[in-house]
Amino acid sequence: MRMSGFIEHIFAPATWLSGRLSFSRKFLLVGLLILAALTTLSVPLWQQSRNDSQLANQERAGLKVLTQQADTLADLVELRSQAVRRGDSKKVLDKNHISAGLGMHIALARDNGLSAQAEQLERAWKQILATQGTCDAQCAFASLTGVINNLLGLTRETARHYRLNVDSQLDATFDMLANRLPLVLETLAKQRDALTINNDEMASYALGAQVVLSESVPAMIAGVSQLMDKYPEAGDLRPRLDSLLSGITQQQDIADKVFADPSGLTELSALASANTELAQRLLNRAASQADHYIELRIGRLLRTQIIIAVVLISTIGAIAYLFAGIYLSTRRSLMTLSKGTDAFCRGELGTRITLDTRDELVLVARNFNTVATEFSRLLDVIREQNESKQRELEHLVRERTAELADKNQQLEAAGLRVQEELNLARNMQLAILPQEFPNEAGWSVSASMFPARELGGDFYDCFALSDGRYGILVADVSGKGVGAAFFMAVSRTLLLDLAMSGDNPASVLSRANDLLCERNPMELFVTACYGIFDPEDGRLVYASAGHHPPLRRTHQGNVAPLPCSCDIALGVIPGMEYCDHAAVLDEGDTLLLYTDGITEALSASGEAYGDDRLAEWLAASGGDEAAALVTSLVANVERFVDGAEASDDLTTLILCRKTRSSSLGHPSC
Amino acid sequence: MHYRYILTGLMLTANLAIADEQVVVITNRDVPVETLDNNQVTQIFLRQVQSWPDGKTIQPIDIKEGSALRTEFYSKVTGRSPGQLRAYWARQAFTGMGVPPRQAATEEEAERLVQTTPGAIGYVGKKEADESVKIVLEPDKTAP
């Protein structure tokens, strides 16, 4: 555990970074790091190889310049020889050709920053051209030797410029090519020419120059050996060098003898001439072999660069290919897992994930499949349990439904019974109200009651008293329904019994109030307007117990309520005393008694029928036939209500005192 | 062969006659110097100094070897014998360090060349020196 914690602690930054990167960015990050590492390792190698190649190319260019300068040196040496011999030469030289060669070297030297050497060489050559034909052999010798010396100096500086002197592999060879061999060539030729001049002083200097040759021998051996070591194909240089060294040795032998025998100078001159040619050939061949070697080296360096580049590119390509493959494989596996999970979440519970890889994601897919299988199994169990419970529930529901249906049937039956009883009660309620009304010659009366429900609380009555007068009654029991209906029946019976005694309305109402107050357990009350009409003279005595005052329409069409005290309704306060009022209905007058079901009838828009509309109807409704007026009023209210549900019982009673002329024309009912 | 010996004898006689004449160093009239000393003339004729103070090239005019005036000139001015002079120029020629001055065949030619060559300097007998050249050194006068 401690080791595991230590490892987690060590890798915490990488883990943190990995947790915040997508797969593609993780692969990209690792790929970039590897690319940077490979580049960091490869670039120095490649740069080193490129630098080596550039140096080798530079050295080869320098060697080419050296070869050209050696050719010019050979021409100058030959020119000097001709000048000394005064044209006695097999080789025909063109000064313009030499001038062109020197001009090229001078221009190149200036380009390479060797202006001082270029100036000296140019000046020396111009001096030769200027003194052409005016010099003797020694003068020409001196002038051309000066040019050759400048050219040799330029050759040495050229070697330094092209860094031939610091080449780690061919430094000795380049020293031989740029310094020693040209110097040996020039010395040999100078010996030959000096001896040709046939001057004792010159001959002595020619002999003295032998030391230059001797000192150059080790350098030439080292240069050739080094080149042969590096480039075995240059083995043919060895016999050439040996020949030259042998010639130099022979020259030294002759020079040693010349002091004793001056005739040896001629032999020395011939030998120097032969050695000059050997040196020339060795120089040309060594330069050629060195060029071949550098060319091979450049080829090797180029191949090295190509190999480095190919290895780097191939490695990067292989890593990129591998990373891309890993990324695509992982992405495909993750997409398969994601799609499978999405499908499972959408309800495709049969979804199973199959990966054709062998990595850890297969384990994830296997775990998903295990979970999905287990989930499906549990779901089947739950479904089976649900189905079982549903079946039980459905069975229970069916049972309960059957019970409810049975109860409903019972309720419907009970309702029907209640409805029938209510209908019966309604019929009985209506039956206890008079349906036939007097329609005498001098007067007529009619009434109607429309309960808001099956049973109403309103009632009316019209009955003949024993003294020939008629009692008219309209009452309204508080409340509705069965209770009000019963109270209505009790109140009607009570009022009818009391009224039949012939007492005046106030007394009847007072006595009825006392009796209703005594037997009113439900604390209902009833408003009533009771009047006694005398058909003989049209006198009307009436009293009101909290009811609307009667409306009278005179035969002129004027409508006004009859004076009436607003007494308390019946059944509220026992011992109440009511007041009688008297009025006389003239012929043609109409008396209207009504309950608030008329004036409070509501239209569909909620507007009440109202006292004014009732008064207007009454004013506009002349006539002697009370029944027609009742029918007209009921129709008028029905039109106003326009099908709206009745809010209260609607009850009206109309009494008409006919005019004499009309009463003669109509029979009494 | 007899004529050669006779000619040689005449030349030696002439040289001896000239040798009695004073040598003077002359220059072209355009040369920007009026006098020179022995050391300066020596450097000029050994080609150790090759330009005048104005930058123009010095053109030394020598007389061919064998002339008595030449021997006298080099003896009085440079202090060198003909053999030493040959050795000097042989070394200069072999090493390519320099070429000897242009040589006139006679004293008259030398004077003419000095007259006509810009920057030229030469030596002649004092009697030969006229107004066309400028005498810059008379060794006999300066000699101790």
Side-chain angles (χ1 to χ4, degrees):
Chain A
M1 288 297 289
R2 184 177 295 174
M3 188 65 183
S4 174
F6 177 73
I7 291 173
E8 287 185 2
H9 183 70
I10 290 294
F11 287 98
T15 306
W16 178 86
L17 182 62
S18 175
R20 280 153 183 79
L21 294 176
S22 63
F23 264 106
S24 58
R25 293 189 175 179
K26 288 176 189 174
F27 281 107
L28 188 61
L29 176 63
V30 175
L32 288 176
L33 289 176
I34 292 175
L35 178 62
L38 286 174
T39 305
T40 305
L41 292 174
S42 302
V43 164
L45 289 175
W46 189 81
Q47 283 181 339
Q48 179 64 39
S49 177
R50 190 184 62 175
N51 292 337
D52 291 346
S53 179
Q54 288 177 344
L55 285 175
N57 279 306
Q58 185 180 5
E59 288 178 358
R60 195 177 183 206
L63 188 59
K64 183 180 178 183
V65 175
L66 287 185
T67 304
Q68 293 170 343
Q69 290 175 351
D71 292 340
T72 304
L73 174 63
D75 289 341
L76 286 172
V77 166
E78 182 61 25
L79 182 64
R80 184 177 61 189
S81 177
Q82 288 183 12
V84 170
R85 295 174 188 173
R86 295 295 175 185
D88 183 16
S89 175
K90 296 177 183 177
K91 186 174 180 180
V92 177
L93 278 178
D94 180 7
K95 276 195 176 179
N96 292 331
H97 171 70
I98 298 175
S99 291
L102 286 172
M104 182 184 69
H105 299 320
I106 290 167
L108 185 60
R110 287 195 175 113
D111 292 343
N112 291 336
L114 305 175
S115 299
Q117 288 76 16
E119 295 295 335
Q120 291 174 3
L121 180 58
E122 188 176 29
R123 189 165 53 246
W125 179 248
K126 283 182 176 177
Q127 188 175 356
I128 287 177
L129 296 177
T131 59
Q132 192 173 9
T134 62
C135 255
D136 58 7
Q138 185 172 333
C139 176
F141 179 93
S143 300
L144 284 166
T145 302
V147 173
I148 290 170
N149 285 345
N150 286 319
L151 182 59
L152 290 175
L154 178 61
T155 302
R156 285 191 294 273
E157 293 302 319
T158 301
R160 288 193 187 92
H161 174 76
Y162 288 99
R163 303 179 61 81
L164 296 176
N165 58 323
V166 294
D167 187 294
S168 59
Q169 297 180 359
L170 291 179
D171 52 348
T173 301
F174 286 133
D175 178 64
M176 177 188 72
L177 290 171
N179 191 10
R180 292 300 176 175
L181 258 178
L183 182 60
V184 167
L185 174 65
E186 156 63 0
T187 303
L188 289 169
K190 198 157 57 177
Q191 282 180 317
R192 178 192 61 192
D193 297 339
L195 293 173
T196 303
I197 291 174
N198 195 17
N199 180 307
D200 290 344
E201 287 80 9
M202 291 290 284
S204 65
Y205 282 113
L207 292 174
Q210 195 65 31
V211 69
V212 176
L213 303 178
S214 302
E215 289 176 351
S216 299
V217 168
M220 288 192 292
I221 293 174
V224 170
S225 299
Q226 188 182 48
L227 182 57
M228 289 172 59
D229 289 342
K230 302 296 181 186
Y231 187 49
E233 286 77 358
D236 60 338
L237 294 177
R238 174 63 68 184
R240 295 171 192 266
L241 177 63
D242 291 342
S243 299
L244 177 60
L245 295 181
S246 175
I248 291 173
T249 304
Q250 289 177 22
Q251 278 191 209
Q252 185 62 49
D253 293 341
I254 293 171
D256 291 341
K257 295 174 184 174
V258 159
F259 292 103
D261 182 11
S263 64
L265 288 174
T266 306
E267 186 182 358
L268 182 61
S269 176
L271 190 56
S273 179
N275 287 338
T276 301
E277 293 186 6
L278 290 176
Q280 181 70 52
R281 290 174 190 166
L282 179 62
L283 177 59
N284 293 338
R285 185 60 183 170
S288 174
Q289 295 290 29
D291 183 67
H292 288 160
Y293 173 71
I294 294 175
E295 185 179 11
L296 289 175
R297 193 203 294 179
I298 291 172
R300 283 198 300 272
L301 291 171
L302 183 61
R303 282 195 295 276
T304 302
Q305 289 179 42
I306 293 173
I307 287 171
I308 290 173
V310 168
V311 168
L312 180 61
I313 293 172
S314 301
T315 306
I316 292 172
I319 291 173
Y321 182 78
L322 185 63
F323 268 57
I326 294 172
Y327 171 68
L328 291 175
S329 171
T330 306
R331 186 173 179 275
R332 187 176 58 191
S333 298
L334 291 174
M335 290 301 292
T336 304
L337 285 169
S338 177
K339 287 179 180 176
T341 307
D342 288 343
F344 189 81
C345 292
R346 283 197 307 270
E348 299 174 13
L349 302 181
T351 301
R352 297 294 181 270
I353 297 174
T354 303
L355 298 179
D356 55 357
T357 59
R358 295 185 179 180
D359 52 18
E360 287 76 0
L361 293 176
V362 174
L363 185 61
V364 177
R366 195 180 302 156
N367 290 341
F368 171 84
N369 293 338
T370 303
V371 170
T373 303
E374 185 64 18
F375 184 83
S376 298
R377 189 185 67 77
L378 291 175
L379 200 63
D380 289 341
V381 171
I382 292 171
R383 187 182 293 124
E384 187 176 350
Q385 290 178 349
N386 285 341
E387 287 175 354
S388 175
K389 287 187 180 299
Q390 188 172 3
R391 283 194 297 272
E392 292 177 1
L393 192 60
E394 287 175 353
H395 178 70
L396 191 60
V397 167
R398 281 196 296 273
E399 286 183 347
R400 293 289 183 271
T401 304
E403 290 176 1
L404 283 174
D406 187 37
K407 297 293 184 187
N408 281 338
Q409 286 180 352
Q410 293 178 8
L411 284 173
E412 285 178 1
L416 287 173
R417 283 198 300 275
V418 170
Q419 189 64 39
E420 287 175 357
E421 289 176 359
L422 284 174
N423 290 337
L424 181 60
R426 175 188 176 91
N427 293 333
M428 288 182 64
Q429 189 181 36
L430 293 175
I432 63 175
L433 298 178
Q435 302 300 320
E436 299 291 336
F437 300 95
N439 188 6
E440 299 300 331
W443 62 287
S444 67
V445 65
S446 181
S448 67
M449 191 278 281
F450 297 94
R453 298 179 182 176
E454 283 79 2
L455 298 175
D458 289 3
F459 62 93
Y460 62 87
D461 209 342
C462 176
F463 47 86
L465 299 177
S466 58
D467 57 358
R469 293 182 301 171
Y470 281 84
I472 55 176
L473 173 65
V474 171
D476 182 2
V477 175
S478 62
K480 300 177 183 63
V482 176
F486 273 103
F487 199 72
M488 167 264 187
V490 171
S491 300
R492 188 256 177 184
T493 304
L494 188 61
L495 284 169
L496 185 60
D497 286 346
L498 293 175
M500 291 303 290
S501 63
D503 290 341
N504 55 9
S507 176
V508 170
L509 293 178
S510 180
R511 291 176 59 193
N513 176 56
D514 292 340
L515 292 173
L516 287 174
C517 287
E518 291 175 0
R519 303 165 189 167
N520 188 5
M522 296 178 67
E523 296 183 348
L524 296 174
F525 62 90
V526 58
T527 64
C529 181
Y530 172 53
I532 298 174
F533 175 67
D534 188 352
E536 292 297 328
D537 53 6
R539 292 174 60 87
L540 175 67
V541 180
Y542 60 96
S544 174
H547 203 80
H548 296 284
L551 290 177
R552 180 175 68 178
R553 178 185 183 277
T554 64
H555 64 279
Q556 292 89 356
N558 297 322
V559 176
L562 292 179
C564 186
S565 57
C566 296
D567 294 327
I568 301 300
L570 304 178
V572 179
I573 301 172
M576 282 292 296
E577 293 295 333
Y578 296 91
C579 296
D580 284 330
H581 298 277
V584 176
L585 297 178
D586 294 330
E587 291 180 358
D589 288 353
T590 303
L591 185 68
L592 171 62
L593 280 71
Y594 60 96
T595 63
D596 53 7
I598 297 289
T599 55
E600 294 178 3
L602 298 177
S603 68
S605 61
E607 184 186 6
Y609 187 78
D611 295 334
D612 294 340
R613 190 172 279 104
L614 179 62
E616 288 176 5
W617 171 83
L618 183 58
S621 302
D624 295 337
E625 295 300 329
L629 290 176
V630 167
T631 301
S632 173
L633 176 57
V634 170
N636 188 270
V637 173
E638 282 183 348
R639 281 196 301 274
F640 176 77
V641 171
D642 193 19
E645 185 181 2
S647 59
D648 200 356
D649 302 337
L650 191 150
T651 303
T652 184
L653 181 148
I654 295 176
L655 185 151
C656 298
R657 190 176 181 204
K658 300 177 182 177
T659 59
R660 191 167 300 276
S661 57
S662 63
S663 64
L664 293 176
H666 295 278
S668 61
C669 56
Chain B
M1 288 295 289
H2 295 290
Y3 290 108
R4 184 175 297 175
Y5 290 128
I6 292 169
L7 183 60
T8 304
L10 288 174
M11 287 180 67
L12 285 172
T13 304
N15 285 339
L16 287 173
I18 293 172
D20 293 337
E21 189 178 357
Q22 290 183 356
V23 62
V24 294
V25 178
I26 58 172
T27 65
N28 185 275
R29 300 290 302 176
D30 295 334
V31 169
V33 295
E34 299 302 325
T35 59
L36 292 169
D37 57 21
N38 288 345
N39 189 37
Q40 289 173 321
V41 174
T42 300
Q43 288 179 335
I44 288 171
F45 275 86
L46 295 183
R47 306 301 297 269
Q48 293 170 351
V49 173
Q50 299 189 10
S51 59
W52 295 111
D54 61 356
K56 290 182 179 176
T57 303
I58 298 176
Q59 299 288 350
I61 306 296
D62 206 351
I63 299 174
K64 282 197 174 182
E65 193 174 352
S67 167
L69 187 65
R70 183 176 188 269
T71 305
E72 184 185 1
F73 168 74
Y74 278 106
S75 174
K76 289 181 178 176
V77 176
T78 68
R80 282 177 170 80
S81 66
Q84 289 175 322
L85 205 57
R86 278 198 301 275
Y88 173 79
W89 284 117
R91 182 167 57 87
Q92 291 295 98
F94 193 81
T95 58
M97 297 300 291
V99 294
R102 183 176 177 182
Q103 293 181 343
T106 63
E107 187 179 355
E108 290 75 17
E109 184 185 358
E111 185 180 11
R112 183 177 53 77
L113 286 173
V114 171
Q115 288 175 2
T116 57
T117 305
I121 182 172
Y123 55 90
V124 294
K126 189 173 183 179
K127 293 178 181 176
E128 298 295 328
D130 54 18
E131 295 298 322
S132 63
V133 296
K134 185 163 46 178
I135 297 173
V136 294
L137 177 62
E138 294 185 36
D140 291 330
K141 286 187 178 180
T142 57

